[in-house]
Amino acid sequence: MPAALLGFRLRGRLGCQKQVAPDHRGRSAIKNNSAMKYASILSIILAVFVSPSAFSRPVALFSYEQLVEKSDIVVIATPTAVRDTNITTTFPGIQQDGQPVPATSMEADFQVLAVLKGTKKEEKIILHYLRSPDPNKIAVNGPMLVSFDPSEKNRYLLFLKRDENGRYSPVNSQTDPYFSVKNLGSTP
């Protein structure tokens, strides 16, 4: 019995499968899937490499080891007060529509529960961070921010560096402090 009547699969020159099957008159017809295979591969390549780069911005991601290494102090702490400094500035390193992204300077007082890196005498620290002037507005590719509510009594793992004013700032950046501030949940 001929291979065409049994529907055997044969390998083509480029390794693409060709289906050998009888046509409506009983003769063998070869269906070549290579054009469809190439179109699928090209679609996947375009989706993976073109789409994300059109809408993304670089973000510094550090491992825990790198966060500890770059930090002046690593603590577990609970916020006790949050205040707006009424200083308007911009987020460093990002723009939207060719303009700097506005920010408002904030400070949060923290009661230190444990010092994992740094001097053990730190009982209270002041964290300087930035927030959006309109906290309800979500920006595409905007900064990844943090906020604190002292009434929730949450504990945070903070990777911080000391600035020139003696306050602390997120080690990752003021633009993306989310990666330097880890919410551990409420105090037991």
Side-chain angles (χ1 to χ4, degrees):
M1 200 177 265
L5 294 178
L6 296 175
F8 286 111
R9 291 182 184 264
L10 302 175
R11 286 272 179 205
R13 231 179 358 184
L14 299 174
C16 298
Q17 289 187 349
K18 296 179 181 180
Q19 180 72 38
V20 178
D23 67 6
H24 69 282
R25 287 175 277 189
R27 293 183 293 186
S28 65
I30 297 177
K31 298 177 185 174
N32 191 340
N33 295 331
S34 62
M36 191 161 185
K37 193 178 246 185
Y38 290 124
S40 297
I41 291 171
L42 182 61
S43 297
I44 291 169
I45 289 170
L46 287 174
V48 169
F49 292 109
V50 175
S51 298
S53 63
F55 301 106
S56 63
R57 67 177 177 85
V59 175
L61 296 176
F62 299 128
S63 66
Y64 280 108
E65 185 177 309
Q66 291 169 317
L67 285 169
V68 170
E69 181 182 309
K70 294 178 181 297
S71 297
D72 294 327
I73 186 171
V74 178
V75 297
I76 297 174
T78 301
T80 56
V82 175
R83 64 191 156 280
D84 188 331
T85 63
N86 294 318
I87 297 172
T88 302
T89 185
T90 60
F91 288 104
I94 64 170
Q95 293 186 351
Q96 288 181 339
D97 301 324
Q99 299 295 316
V101 179
T104 301
S105 180
M106 299 288 291
E107 287 184 347
D109 296 335
F110 279 85
Q111 177 68 43
V112 175
L113 304 174
V115 178
L116 306 176
K117 178 182 177 182
T119 60
K120 303 288 183 195
K121 64 181 180 179
E122 300 280 355
E123 292 180 17
K124 294 185 180 198
I125 59 170
I126 298 172
L127 173 64
H128 173 247
Y129 64 101
L130 300 178
R131 72 165 175 83
S132 173
D134 183 1
N136 297 323
K137 183 180 176 186
I138 298 174
V140 175
N141 288 319
M144 298 186 76
L145 305 175
V146 294
S147 62
F148 306 101
D149 183 353
S151 68
E152 292 177 355
K153 304 287 186 205
N154 284 332
R155 296 169 297 149
Y156 292 88
L157 175 59
L158 305 171
F159 298 91
L160 307 173
K161 59 184 176 185
R162 189 184 276 289
D163 64 20
E164 62 278 353
N165 298 331
R167 300 176 302 186
Y168 290 97
S169 299
V171 73
N172 204 57
S173 74
Q174 285 288 7
T175 303
D176 297 306
Y178 174 81
F179 300 110
S180 299
V181 176
K182 311 291 183 183
N183 188 340
L184 302 177
S186 61
T187 303

